[in-house]
Amino acid sequence: MAVENIDIRLEYRENLGKNKSKQLRNEGYLPAVFYGPDYKEAVPVKVSVDEILPHIQSSHWKTLMFNVIFPDGKKEMAMIRDYQRDPISRQVLHIDFYQLVKGHRVLVAVPIVLINKESCLGVKKGGVLIQSLHELEMEVLPTEMPDEIHVDIAGLDIGDSLRISDINLPESALVSVDLDDTVVQIVEAVEEEVEAAEEVEREVEVIGKRSTAEEEEE
């Protein structure tokens, strides 16, 4: 699924520092920086909390593309490279916007979403679905950057699996991981139950040994 560009306005900020950043947040803005291949230095900016917060709270904020509009009318393509939260209040404190340049790949982690879980053949037979990979890091052209990778598992039977090489990726995408890595598989439920039982048995055995050792010490 291709990314749709979102219009967003950034304003320049001149007064920097912790106190000024706090004041900005009280006024309904978030301090931010804008940087990228065409910028020798990061540009200090601010963005409206109401305008940006819904996008940060999106499950695929890492792959959102923005049409950034500056006060002087300059326009850029950008994405949110990172943002910081207060560890206690969880309030968003600062945002990093990264410039996207046409014709230049950008590194991004794209969420992998399984579809048709309810109708999956193997699951309906009692198999257990295991998703080993939840996002795929790739270098891709901005115009081809997907917000999510959809993987249809309806036809997977027990014992079947899908690898990265089985996924339809954008033509410009470059991935550094092994294409034979498993994304999802359907396994026998019995196998899972046996493994779980064996794990519990090992834990009980260890606890039993510890209890015996403690009694001997007493």
Side-chain angles (χ1 to χ4, degrees):
M1 184 183 299
V3 174
E4 294 183 4
N5 289 23
I6 303 164
D7 290 340
I8 194 165
R9 294 185 179 275
L10 299 184
E11 298 180 33
Y12 297 119
R13 59 186 175 101
E14 298 179 358
N15 299 321
L16 309 179
K18 185 175 182 180
N19 291 335
K20 186 60 179 178
S21 294
K22 184 177 180 180
Q23 180 182 336
L24 283 177
R25 288 189 285 270
N26 290 335
E27 295 173 351
Y29 287 91
L30 285 175
V33 292
F34 186 95
Y35 65 101
D38 294 338
Y39 291 78
K40 293 182 180 180
E41 296 182 356
V43 180
V45 294
K46 62 181 180 180
V47 61
S48 166
V49 172
D50 293 338
E51 193 171 1
I52 194 63
L53 198 56
H55 303 303
I56 292 179
Q57 294 173 336
S58 167
S59 60
H60 51 269
W61 65 268
K62 294 180 180 179
T63 55
L64 294 179
M65 280 179 54
F66 298 92
N67 291 320
V68 172
I69 306 170
F70 289 94
D72 55 10
K74 185 178 182 180
K75 297 181 180 180
E76 296 277 15
M77 282 197 308
M79 63 186 295
I80 298 174
R81 176 59 79 190
D82 197 8
Y83 68 88
Q84 292 78 48
R85 285 186 184 270
D86 183 282
I88 298 176
S89 69
R90 306 305 296 162
Q91 178 187 16
V92 178
L93 302 177
H94 188 276
I95 301 175
D96 294 353
F97 289 99
Y98 182 76
Q99 178 199 26
L100 299 176
V101 181
K102 290 183 179 179
H104 292 260
R105 289 184 176 90
V106 61
L107 181 65
V108 63
V110 184
I112 297 176
V113 178
L114 305 182
I115 60 175
N116 292 324
K117 292 182 182 180
E118 299 80 5
S119 57
C120 176
L121 180 61
V123 172
K124 292 172 71 173
K125 290 182 177 180
V128 177
L129 184 156
I130 299 177
Q131 184 175 358
S132 306
L133 194 63
H134 292 271
E135 66 177 22
L136 181 61
E137 193 171 84
M138 67 176 71
E139 291 186 31
V140 64
L141 293 177
T143 53
E144 296 184 6
M145 184 171 65
D147 58 353
E148 295 176 339
I149 298 173
H150 289 173
V151 179
D152 190 343
I153 63 169
L156 290 188
D157 201 347
I158 295 176
D160 290 343
S161 64
L162 289 176
R163 303 175 182 179
I164 295 177
S165 58
D166 298 317
I167 299 176
N168 291 324
L169 299 178
E171 186 176 349
S172 65
L174 298 175
V175 297
S176 58
V177 294
D178 191 336
L179 294 179
D180 285 332
D181 285 355
T182 300
V183 176
V184 59
Q185 58 183 322
I186 311 296
V187 300
E188 287 277 5
V190 176
E191 296 178 5
E192 293 297 304
E193 293 170 359
V194 170
E195 290 180 5
E198 290 176 347
E199 181 63 28
V200 171
E201 185 177 345
R202 286 194 292 269
E203 291 177 359
V204 171
E205 183 179 353
V206 170
I207 293 173
K209 289 181 178 179
R210 288 177 180 172
S211 300
T212 302
E214 289 172 357
E215 291 176 357
E216 291 176 353
E217 289 178 359
E218 293 177 355

